[in-house]
Amino acid sequence: MGLALGTAVLAGCGGTATSPAPAPSAASSPASSEATTDATSPATGASPSTTPPRRAVPRLDHVVVVVMENHTASAVLGNPDAPFINGLARTGATLTQSYAVAHPSQPNYLALFSGSTQGVASDRCPLTFSGPNLATSLRAAGRTFAGYSEDLPSAGFTGCQAGDYARKHNPWVDFPAVPPAANQPMTRFPTDPARLPTVAFVVPNLAHDMHDGTVAEGDAWLARHLGGYAQWAPTHNSALVVTWDEDDDDHDNRVATLVVGAHVRAGPYAGRVDHYRVLGMLSDVAGARPVGQAAGAAPLTGIWDG
């Protein structure tokens, strides 16, 4: 896999979803994959949340979030076809009452990224939104973001489908305030984890995220692409989060969510968690203000040591 490139993110202005509209044109891939992920100075007009300070959680250097598809927690936790996932569960925090917020896929990805389903109740494409999101909040805090999607044809690609890539699983492309350079193919995921942005989302393709493929295929993909990072993170002030967008539509939308890495207290966590609370956790450990419904969610403090 190639090294990551720069992931400077522009700060967004508050707003509401607009009607479906063509997304901005794709940007060409940068000439070199050796560039660092340094943030630029906050953009004029940034409008971070004015939410009061939240309870202290560890400040992490890197968090990688992987979103899998369409399986209830009981389908993967304890499943012998998922040895890597269950290894993570043994060494990290298992959020035993974790729930998605909607059906189908797309509104759940929007919730994880922007703190809102944006009124979306389908997988229609393309969509464009003007509101705040995780990337703009990180940008306002001087931190960085990138999303890495398997089978994305090129950096900044805005098409709805390409092979097993689906834009409905890539919410950052729906926000023009997030620059094309933050929208990267999985081939640009850095071989050196220290070059990752502060927060990175990883989205496998439809064959590997358990949407079309099996639990065993998805588990093997995770082990191959994130196994090294999972070993690296605990000793480098970093963390890996693995979650699912939604369940199989038959288990109250309960999904598996695992957190592994530095400062994480291993074992089950029984507090109720949804995608908004997970987004709030990502903002907190990155030192950014949570956006949307994440701003009103209780900080996820029980999974951390000390």
Side-chain angles (χ1 to χ4, degrees), residues 49 51 54 276-277 280 290-299:
S49 167
T51 305
R54 293 153 69 88
Y276 301 126
R277 202 169 179 202
V291 298
Q293 293 193 50

Side-chain angles (χ1 to χ4, degrees), residues 50-161:
T50 56
T51 305
R54 293 153 69 88
R55 287 177 58 192
V57 297
R59 180 69 60 84
L60 300 179
D61 294 330
H62 307 282
V63 183
V64 173
V65 186
V66 187
V67 187
M68 305 296 282
E69 281 274 314
N70 295 29
H71 280 66
T72 188
S74 60
V76 290
L77 297 179
N79 187 336
D81 287 340
F84 178 72
I85 291 168
N86 284 282
L88 296 179
R90 287 190 294 272
T91 59
T94 302
L95 311 187
T96 62
Q97 297 298 317
S98 181
Y99 293 86
V101 301
H103 290 294
S105 292
Q106 188 161 231
N108 287 293
Y109 285 83
L110 289 165
L112 276 167
F113 183 67
S114 70
S116 170
T117 64
Q118 305 295 336
V120 173
S122 73
D123 288 332
R124 70 187 189 275
C125 176
L127 299 173
T128 302
F129 306 104
S130 60
N133 56 70
L134 176 62
T136 58
S137 180
L138 288 166
R139 177 66 186 82
R143 310 284 266 170
T144 51
F145 169 85
Y148 299 93
S149 299
E150 188 179 19
D151 286 354
L152 187 76
S154 61
F157 178 76
T158 60
C160 291
Q161 194 86 24

Side-chain angles (χ1 to χ4, degrees), residues 201-223:
F201 269 65
V202 167
V203 179
N205 69 20
L206 293 169
H208 296 136
D209 64 5
M210 301 186 187
H211 184 283
D212 294 346
T214 66
V215 168
E217 288 168 336
D219 186 80
W221 190 93
L222 287 171

